[in-house]
Amino acid sequence: MTVTSEKAVQDLLIDGTWRKAANAHTYTAHDPFTGEVASRAAAAVPADVVRAADAAERAFPPWAASPPAERRRVLWTAAGNIEARAEEISAAITTEMGGPAAWGHYNTTALAEKFRHAASAVHEGLTGELIPSEVPGRTSFAVRRPVGVVACLIPWNAPALLVGNSVPYALAVGDTVVMKAAEQTPRTHGLVAECLIEAGLPDGVYNLVTNAPEDAPEVVAALIAHQAVRRVHFTGSTRVGRIIAQQAAAHMKRAILELGGKAPLLVLADADLGQAVSAAAFGAFANSGQGCVSTERIIVDRTVAEAFALRLAALAANVTCGDPRDPHTALGPVVGPAAITRLSGLVQDAVVAGARLLAGGTAEGPCFTPTVLADVTPAMRVYREESFGPVAAVVAADGPEEALRMANDSDYGLSSAIFTRNIPLALDLARRIDAGMCHINGTTLDDEPQIPFGGVKNSGYGRSGGHAGLEEFTELQWITIEGPEPPRYPISE
Ligand code: NAD
């Protein structure tokens, strides 16, 4: 089934068939800019999730046994389908989460590339190693094999791109998937699902579940509890990540957790300020700051902090925000009224505690203006709490060591950046920064299909993408074959 009008309902995809929820309930997602209905979708209940996981379980043995070249062909075709429907997917992203066309197209391009990368890694993901044995004549080796059913829980903020951090890699190594859509973006996820099905995935290999927000706890719990599910890949907040981790542990399942961030960008005294200002503005404001790797804390050497903050504020004042359908708009709305309240609260708390508001800080309807706060201190909430909005907090530091100490003074550890012309120093700091990713003279807001994307501390564990990402969806098995001389056991005939 293809949803063709706004009134149509995004159905569940279970075992190759589009279906209503078991109780026929639906829910409504709203356009964050207009407030109008963006999409309607099936509101799955636990019974639907069980059915989807059952289908994925049945589909697993033949998919795992399929020739790698067959999986490569399907994934490669899916990439082409995504590109062919980029306009449609991008429009759904604009309607459902408010990203302008540039964000929508970045999502589809990146997703297609992730599918191509996974397609090219169908062999790499399953290679093993020959291990010399202490037993004469024995052949000993370790092989990677697919795990079974993978539960992929996708967020709304980069709703197409982030499908690519789990789904193509699980499919590439022969696993089957139950993907849970973000409640805000069911149609975007439905369109991606159509691209995959039309690429020729056998029934049940990929299943899509949509659910009403209030049903998320029991739907997610049912998915994790299903006996066939062997991995849980979750992208979302640290708060929910903790719940997922506990449930996965209770069922003895491995989770890959891509959680929140509070990315620091360090600007040392000798940095190219123009480059640092541009990277900070892009990192802090792109997608209205709604990225796990968005730049949140900008820790600047005190000798250049004022000049840096003024230049960043001047740039922020020129970034347009408003209607995401207007081609001149750089930043669309934030995801909803609760985000406006949260961001306003963070700015107010900082200003009351002595921060200087150099740009933005206000809501314009459903948008939040690009904001620069200077003189931010550890006493302010914005120093520690993830804003997940277009808020750049500038903190002054006395030298590289204090900048590093402040960077590590966070519960999070996802992305980071260091601006300096002193590369040996930057490398030394990068090795000591508590972050899964560190960019020297580049933005924190970065990703490529072949890299190990992920964090430390409260930003989660496990890696997405690249060789490490493939390994997450496989199990390592040791196999031995005895040689011509039969083994002699202490107990034997
Ligand atoms: P969220 O954690 O609030 O919601 C994510 C999903 O969790 C929801 O779609 C919902 O289905 C589910 N959920 C909610 N309550 C649940 C419960 N009690 N039990 C089980 N499941 C439940 O996240 P969000 O607000 O939608 O997304 C923003 C967060 O995601 C930010 O913290 C951001 O940094 C993070 N994020 C991380 C990455 C990454 O790759 N590390 C990428 C994007 C976003």
Side-chain angles (χ1 to χ4, degrees):
M1 184 217 64
T2 301
V3 176
T4 51
S5 83
E6 203 186 273
K7 298 237 163 33
V9 174
Q10 175 59 57
D11 285 337
L12 313 174
L13 175 68
I14 298 176
D15 209 7
T17 304
W18 297 99
R19 298 163 190 257
K20 308 289 173 214
N23 58 9
H25 285 187
T26 62
Y27 78 98
T28 305
H30 291 91
D31 181 322
F33 188 72
T34 65
E36 291 167 4
V37 171
S39 39
R40 298 178 208 279
V45 292
D48 295 304
V49 171
V50 169
R51 209 168 296 148
D54 286 347
E57 182 180 22
R58 284 193 301 275
F60 171 65
W63 180 246
S66 63
E70 172 57 15
R71 299 198 295 276
R72 179 174 58 206
R73 188 192 62 73
V74 174
L75 294 172
W76 200 270
T77 307
N81 292 351
I82 290 160
E83 284 172 338
R85 297 182 74 179
E87 284 297 330
E88 211 182 334
I89 298 171
S90 177
I93 289 175
T94 300
T95 305
E96 293 190 319
M97 59 73 66
W103 183 245
H105 282 116
Y106 169 62
N107 262 263
T108 54
T109 305
L111 179 61
E113 283 310 309
K114 284 173 188 272
F115 266 90
R116 288 208 178 87
H117 181 254
S120 67
V122 289
H123 299 108
E124 175 193 336
L126 295 169
T127 52
E129 62 176 329
L130 203 56
I131 305 169
S133 175
E134 295 296 333
V135 179
R138 171 185 276 183
T139 302
S140 165
F141 52 99
V143 290
R144 292 208 162 266
R145 55 190 241 182
V147 294
V149 180
V150 178
C152 300
L153 282 61
I154 315 292
W156 54 269
N157 61 323
L161 183 160
L162 287 170
V163 171
N165 276 6
S166 54
V167 173
Y169 293 97
L171 295 176
V173 294
D175 294 329
T176 55
V177 168
V178 177
M179 177 175 130
K180 194 194 87 58
E183 290 80 357
Q184 296 86 342
T185 53
R187 185 61 195 134
T188 303
H189 289 146
L191 285 166
V192 171
E194 288 174 19
C195 293
L196 305 196
I197 292 308
E198 285 159 16
L201 278 176
D203 292 351
V205 168
Y206 166 87
N207 304 272
L208 172 71
V209 176
T210 59
N211 63 276
E214 61 272 20
D215 297 332
E218 55 176 357
V219 163
V220 170
L223 186 54
I224 296 174
H226 193 285
Q227 49 81 25
V229 170
R230 298 313 316 159
R231 291 283 187 281
V232 182
H233 189 288
F234 172 75
T235 305
S237 68
T238 299
R239 182 187 70 80
V240 177
R242 230 181 266 284
I243 296 170
I244 305 275
Q246 286 167 359
Q247 293 183 356
H251 294 285
M252 210 55 86
K253 296 173 184 182
R254 215 192 290 169
I256 301 110
L257 301 173
E258 301 287 1
L259 309 179
K262 187 74 192 169
L265 183 147
L266 279 55
V267 183
L268 305 190
D270 70 339
D272 179 329
L273 271 202
Q275 286 294 318
V277 167
S278 299
F282 173 73
F285 305 142
N287 195 31
S288 296
Q290 300 172 121
C292 52
V293 287
S294 291
T295 306
E296 292 248 345
R297 286 178 305 154
I298 307 173
I299 303 166
V300 190
D301 192 277
R302 197 175 300 280
T303 56
V304 293
E306 185 66 8
F308 176 92
L310 293 175
R311 285 171 72 167
L312 182 62
L315 193 48
N318 280 327
V319 178
T320 53
C321 57
D323 184 350
R325 291 168 186 84
D326 180 339
H328 303 296
T329 297
L331 308 183
V334 290
V335 71
I340 297 275
T341 306
R342 185 185 67 247
L343 295 168
S344 302
L346 282 175
V347 171
Q348 202 183 355
D349 169 83
V351 169
V352 166
R356 275 180 299 143
L357 181 61
L358 299 183
T362 53
E364 281 181 8
C367 305
F368 202 81
T369 50
T371 300
V372 178
L373 288 163
D375 302 338
V376 169
T377 70
M380 301 170 190
R381 284 174 51 207
V382 75
Y383 179 90
R384 292 188 195 287
E385 290 178 28
E386 184 183 34
S387 76
F388 217 61
V391 177
V394 180
V395 189
D398 291 311
E401 286 303 320
E402 193 186 33
L404 180 70
R405 191 188 56 70
M406 285 178 154
N408 289 343
D409 181 22
S410 170
D411 289 338
Y412 294 107
L414 193 55
S415 187
S416 61
I418 302 168
F419 277 79
T420 173
R421 291 183 168 90
N422 185 341
I423 300 305
L425 173 62
L427 200 49
D428 175 54
L429 295 174
R431 288 184 171 135
R432 290 189 287 141
I433 206 161
D434 294 341
M437 299 171 278
C438 184
H439 303 285
I440 295 170
N441 294 323
T443 173
T444 63
L445 187 63
D446 211 342
D447 184 21
E448 294 186 34
Q450 72 280 16
I451 61 97
F453 188 100
V456 298
K457 297 169 42 177
N458 284 1
S459 293
Y461 44 75
R463 291 294 178 267
S464 301
H467 193 76
L470 284 165
E471 287 192 352
E472 300 282 5
F473 296 122
T474 61
E475 212 65 82
L476 203 51
Q477 183 183 35
W478 180 39
I479 298 178
T480 62
I481 309 167
E482 298 305 334
E485 283 293 314
R488 289 186 162 276
Y489 305 109
I491 303 172
S492 62
E493 278 193 333

